[in-house]
Amino acid sequence: MTLAPLTVGIDLGTTNSLCAVFEDGKPRLVPNAHGGVLTPSVVAVLKSGEVLVGEAARELRLTDPGRTCAMFKRWMGQGRKIELAGKEFTAAQLSSLVLRSLVEDVKADLGRAPTSAVITVPAYFNEHQRRDTRLAGELAGLRVERVVNEPTAAALSHGYHNSSGISNLLVFDLGGGTFDVTVMEVFEDTLEILSSAGESHLGGEDFTDKILAWALGEIGLIFEHAEVQQPLLVARLRDEAERAKRLFGEQDQVTLRVPDEAGNVGHGARSLELGAAHFEELCEGLIERLRKPVERALRGARLGWDQIDDVLMVGGATRMPIIRRFVADLLGRAPQAKLDPDLVVAYGAAVQVALIADNKAVGDLVMTDVCPFTLGIEVTKELGRREVDGYYLPIIHRNTTVPVSCEEVVYTLRPNQTTVTVAIYQGEARRVGDNIKLGELHVTDIPHGPAGQEIAVRFTYDLNGLVEVEAYLPATGAKFHTVLTQGVSGLDKRAMKAALKDMQKLKFYPRDDLDNQRLLSFAEGTVKELEGEMRAALEAGIDVYESVLYSSDREGFAMMRAQLLQQLRDLGFPFPTTPEGESGRD
Ligand code: AMP
């Protein structure tokens, strides 16, 4: 007997990633090696060359920032190389490592590996960023069934929970590094996305950076240079800033401890006081930046705030009081708080899996989505007597319900012109230079004749965000066409095989040992807090632990682990056992 292929829903986040399956008529989050469901999107390469992902990598970031990388989702679609422990990676490769770690978690949980996935992306991700997301999935050995917009997934999760009445809902999605606003109409089991807007470089981490920049300023350092000059100090101070940001949810005044150059926060460490009002002042510019996409989304949906029935808050950063107040001021009352902003997207991704599989549990749910960007081509304009190229002719306008197919007719410029290159763009600017080029379509064998021969250009945008461009020559009946996200990831077969092989060479740190690696990082971090004899004693304890960690003496290892745990407890630094509980997930 063979098992049916397994599809999972994945929220591949800037800060954390989650994986969910649809089981027994409802979505369920898959636990990671530590028993939590949020896996930090952090990758580390150990001295041994092994790869660490998640909580253990996040903890290593404090003690060895040069070996770890976080926030790489911000670089998706940019083709930029990121150096990590002497190796170069792309953002797609680093993301694929996070996905591989989630795949391992599914294997451990369900006893079998998933074969395919629905992966969520910010609605405002452009085609290049979506393509990189697909590539990451493929590099992790997953067939990417669909790339779904995060707010749409959140809406699905909401719709799945709540299928009565009619209402206009605004999804306010502020993650670690991206901001999306989506307006939709919910009518019984039908979710109709009306508009989407956002910014792909604005998120909770920018609020942390504001605190970090302020604290660095207070100690006479400049944010832009400090990371290179004092990486350990900055890594630790960023952690303090992150903790402070979260504490503003409960207190009006927070204390940041200033680490020394080695990232240590010893007894005599200087401290800085930051009040909530001052924090909010520091963030005024960021709040202003949130306003624009909200206004754009409402305009796109042709609705005013008075017609919005509720706001669905998505993304960990919406926990900040300053954000909730901002939304409450716009809405005129507090936004709803029924769904967990960290989990709602992953749940929705699993609902999408069920929808694709025609699962009875979601049988009546219907959803329509929109194309978040305008798509078009480059054209030449006649301005007075001059012909000027570089202008943008939109073909599919943003916020058009998808799937959709639209056509525009363009004309040859010169007599006997036999070829035309149709340059395809995405974006809103009047000139193509300010938009993103997605590809080209070459039209050939245009029959000789005067200028002004017709070429009909048709764009088709499907539910997956796949764009198909077709050119038709009415004079000859010839058709030319291209699919912009070709081969799904944009790589040809050979390049894909090589890329896969490359990634498979990387060995994962054994999943069962991840907690041991975390303990090592935690203990190393604790060393920094201590001085004198206590420090020397802990270092000795760690040395023994590390030496047995890599040996095959499991019995001896269990003893040394217990000893180290005891030693940490005695020193007043108990090792947190669950990453989402009392741990350092500050
Ligand atoms: P996400 O990408 O949705 O996982 O969002 C993570 C972002 O939410 C990060 O910038 C976190 O710092 C932020 N975040 C998570 N929890 C809180 C909290 N309690 N208060 C403030 N920000 C938070």
Side-chain angles (χ1 to χ4, degrees):
M1 194 178 79
T2 54
L3 285 165
L6 175 63
T7 308
V8 291
I10 293 176
D11 169 5
L12 184 60
T14 313
T15 328
N16 293 302
S17 295
L18 300 90
C19 180
V21 287
F22 200 85
E23 248 176 26
D24 303 328
K26 55 181 189 300
R28 176 177 71 84
L29 296 170
V30 176
N32 58 29
H34 307 294
V37 292
L38 300 174
T39 296
S41 305
V42 185
V43 172
V45 178
L46 294 174
K47 287 193 194 96
S48 60
E50 282 169 313
V51 172
L52 270 185
V53 175
E55 196 58 35
R58 197 188 74 90
E59 277 172 18
L60 194 71
R61 201 171 171 215
L62 286 185
T63 46
D64 209 345
R67 297 201 158 271
T68 63
C69 189
M71 302 285 296
F72 34 83
K73 182 169 168 181
R74 284 191 164 184
W75 305 317
M76 291 288 260
Q78 294 182 5
R80 166 172 160 180
K81 297 272 184 200
I82 302 148
E83 201 187 307
L84 179 58
K87 288 192 176 76
E88 281 199 332
F89 293 90
T90 60
Q93 286 174 322
L94 291 170
S95 302
S96 82
L97 294 172
V98 175
L99 294 173
R100 250 171 81 182
S101 156
L102 298 179
V103 164
E104 289 302 313
D105 294 336
V106 175
K107 266 200 237 169
D109 184 64
L110 288 174
R112 63 190 175 120
T115 44
S116 50
V118 164
I119 305 180
T120 59
V121 292
Y124 219 57
F125 253 25
N126 64 40
E127 291 300 317
H128 295 310
Q129 292 165 311
R130 284 166 198 264
R131 196 181 302 194
D132 255 8
T133 304
R134 288 182 168 275
L135 175 59
E138 292 184 11
L139 289 175
L142 293 166
R143 196 161 36 94
V144 181
E145 292 269 355
R146 194 163 295 176
V147 168
V148 179
N149 294 336
E150 283 161 14
T152 307
L156 273 178
S157 179
H158 172 87
Y160 170 80
H161 280 276
N162 183 0
S163 58
S164 59
I166 177 168
S167 56
N168 293 320
L169 205 64
L170 184 140
V171 184
F172 187 98
D173 180 357
L174 188 63
T178 54
F179 177 49
D180 272 336
V181 187
T182 293
V183 179
M184 61 180 171
E185 188 185 278
V186 185
F187 173 59
E188 291 179 348
D189 286 330
T190 305
L191 306 171
E192 188 183 350
I193 307 285
L194 301 176
S195 67
S196 240
E199 244 207 67
S200 57
H201 282 83
L202 175 60
E205 299 306 310
D206 294 295
F207 290 77
T208 308
D209 280 353
K210 287 285 175 201
I211 302 180
L212 177 62
W214 165 80
L216 286 168
E218 290 292 297
I219 56 170
L221 291 173
I222 298 169
F223 182 57
E224 284 73 25
H225 306 147
E227 200 140 35
V228 180
Q229 291 163 350
Q230 312 251 25
L232 288 168
L233 181 150
V234 171
R236 182 63 193 260
L237 195 56
R238 184 185 297 280
D239 220 49
E240 286 284 305
E242 174 70 23
R243 194 178 55 85
K245 179 181 78 174
R246 293 182 185 219
L247 280 175
F248 282 127
E250 295 145 25
Q251 27 191 99
D252 286 337
Q253 179 93 7
V254 296
T255 306
L256 285 91
R257 292 161 301 167
V258 180
D260 62 18
E261 280 184 18
N264 299 338
V265 188
H267 281 311
R270 183 176 165 193
S271 58
L272 299 170
E273 295 288 322
L274 181 62
H278 189 179
F279 168 60
E280 299 195 359
E281 232 171 77
L282 294 172
C283 298
E284 268 169 13
L286 296 176
I287 295 291
E288 271 321 296
R289 281 173 64 195
L290 293 172
R291 210 177 283 279
K292 276 207 173 137
V294 173
E295 284 167 1
R296 224 177 324 129
L298 284 172
R299 256 199 318 274
R302 296 189 172 79
L303 292 174
W305 268 110
D306 53 339
Q307 291 159 293
I308 296 294
D309 297 291
D310 212 347
V311 175
L312 185 58
M313 301 292 257
V314 180
T318 59
R319 289 214 159 90
M320 283 187 281
I322 182 177
I323 299 297
R324 302 196 85 85
R325 213 167 329 111
F326 170 69
V327 173
D329 282 350
L330 293 169
L331 180 65
R333 62 186 173 282
Q336 76 103 348
K338 269 180 281 179
L339 302 174
D340 186 323
D342 285 322
L343 314 182
V344 60
V345 170
Y347 278 130
V351 174
Q352 178 69 63
V353 169
L355 274 175
I356 294 174
D358 267 336
N359 190 308
K360 277 202 207 86
V362 292
D364 297 330
L365 202 59
V366 177
M367 196 197 57
T368 66
D369 209 339
V370 295
C371 162
F373 291 96
T374 300
L375 293 159
I377 59 173
E378 177 178 2
V379 288
T380 301
K381 280 193 181 178
E382 270 181 45
L383 301 176
R385 291 207 180 154
R386 281 187 317 136
E387 278 173 0
V388 189
D389 46 46
Y391 286 92
Y392 187 45
L393 173 69
I395 295 187
I396 297 180
H397 289 268
R398 71 164 182 247
N399 292 327
T400 307
T401 300
V402 291
V404 66
S405 190
C406 300
E407 190 179 277
E408 283 285 338
V409 176
V410 291
Y411 303 91
T412 53
L413 267 177
R414 321 204 175 286
N416 297 327
Q417 184 176 349
T418 55
T419 64
V420 163
T421 298
V422 180
I424 303 151
Y425 286 85
Q426 172 179 67
E428 315 306 324
R430 186 167 161 260
R431 290 171 196 274
V432 290
D434 298 325
N435 292 328
I436 295 173
K437 187 165 181 181
L438 299 180
E440 286 182 346
L441 176 63
H442 300 285
V443 178
T444 54
D445 302 321
I446 302 171
H448 286 264
Q453 300 220 37
E454 278 187 16
I455 305 164
V457 180
R458 173 169 290 280
F459 275 40
T460 307
Y461 190 104
D462 76 6
L463 276 174
N464 264 316
L466 284 173
V467 184
E468 188 181 345
V469 181
E470 194 181 72
Y472 171 68
L473 284 177
T476 62
K479 277 186 181 164
F480 303 83
H481 112 285
T482 181
V483 178
L484 290 176
T485 34
Q486 241 158 23
V488 188
S489 58
L491 291 185
D492 65 30
K493 271 207 173 114
R494 190 181 302 164
M496 189 66 206
K497 217 168 149 185
L500 261 170
K501 223 166 136 190
D502 232 30
M503 292 312 286
Q504 269 153 11
K505 268 193 230 141
L506 291 172
K507 261 186 68 194
F508 261 63
Y509 190 82
R511 185 181 183 278
D512 293 344
D513 275 350
L514 277 178
D515 206 42
N516 300 329
Q517 188 62 43
R518 254 189 79 221
L519 174 58
L520 182 63
S521 298
F522 180 81
E524 280 178 345
T526 307
V527 164
K528 294 178 158 191
E529 310 289 334
L530 304 171
E531 283 152 28
E533 275 174 29
M534 285 203 282
R535 181 186 166 112
L538 182 58
E539 277 200 61
I542 297 174
D543 286 348
V544 179
Y545 175 77
E546 201 176 359
S547 63
V548 284
L549 178 60
Y550 299 110
S551 77
S552 52
D553 176 9
R554 297 322 277 174
E555 222 170 88
F557 170 69
M559 219 165 76
M560 290 310 151
R561 181 181 158 94
Q563 242 173 48
L564 182 59
L565 286 169
Q566 186 58 45
Q567 197 176 7
L568 286 165
R569 266 196 301 274
D570 293 346
L571 289 166
F573 292 91
F575 176 58
T577 43
T578 52
E580 275 135 50
E582 15 136 26
S583 88
R585 292 197 48 75
D586 32 53

